[in-house]
Amino acid sequence: MFSLIVHQLCTKPIYKKEQQESMYESGEVENILHVPVKAARVDATCSVFHDDLVRKFTNHVMKDGNKVLARELVEKAFQKIKRIQLQRYHGADDSEKKASIETNPLKIFHMALTNTKPVLQLTPIKRGGVTYQVPVPITDNRARFMAMKWLILAARDKDLRVHFPEKLAWELVDAAANQVCSRRQLLSCIFQDMPKKKTLTLSL
C-alpha cells in the first residue's frame, strides 16, 4: 500500500531532449527538482532516430507478434520512399520543382498521417425504431488509429504480386500528396450525401 502511494506521488520521466530544454526555458524544472521520478519504460529513449508514431505504426503492421518482421517491412517501405522521391528530385527540370519535393521519408510519413486522419466518425443512434448513422467529432487518438489502419489496409488490398513494403511506400507517398486512400474518400462521400436536415435534427 505504501509503495502504491509513493508511485502515485512520483512524476513521469521526461526523456525527450526538446521537452527538457523547454522546461528549463520556462522555469518549470524548478517545481520538480525534489519530486521523485518514476522509472522509465523499456522503450523510452531520447534517440533522434526514435519516433513514437513510427513505433505505433509498426505495431499495427505486426502480425502474430512478429515485431522484427514488421520493423523490417516498415524500414524497407521508408527506403522505397527515399528512392521514389530521389528519382523525382533528379528528374525535375527547374529548381522550384526540386525545392517542392520532400525526400525525408519520416516527414512524408507524418504528412500522410495528417492527410488521412478523419475529422468525424459515424455513430449509430436509434430514434423511433430507426437507426441513423450520425457524424460526431472524433478524438485525436482515434483519428490517428483509423488513419494508420486505412493506410495499411489500402496497401494490403493492392496487387498481391507486389511486395508489401513497395505497396506501403506508394500508399504513403500518395497520401502525403493529399491523394488519400479510398476508405477516407468513401467516408467523405457518405457525409456529403447525408441529408442535412436529418443530421441537424439528430445531432440536437
Side-chain angles (χ1 to χ4, degrees), residues 138-152:
I138 188 172
T139 61
D140 187 61
N141 289 336
R142 178 67 179 172
R144 184 172 60 244
F145 165 75
M146 294 180 67
M148 292 182 180
K149 182 180 178 181
W150 287 346
L151 289 170
I152 295 171

Side-chain angles (χ1 to χ4, degrees), residues 18 25 28 41 58 68 81 96 134 142 175 180 182 196:
E18 298 81 7
E25 292 176 357
E28 188 180 353
R41 296 180 57 180
T58 304
V68 176
I81 291 173
E96 293 183 359
V134 180
R142 178 67 179 172
V180 293
S182 58
K196 294 183 179 179

Side-chain angles (χ1 to χ4, degrees), residues 78-93 97-98 101-105 108 170 173:
F78 280 11
Q79 292 174 6
K80 181 63 178 178
I81 291 173
K82 187 74 172 181
R83 295 192 190 99
I84 293 171
Q85 294 302 97
L86 284 177
Q87 185 177 3
R88 291 179 177 178
Y89 179 83
H90 293 296
D93 299 332
K97 290 184 179 179
K98 288 185 177 181
I101 296 175
E102 180 60 57
T103 57
N104 189 349
I108 292 176
W170 280 108
V173 169

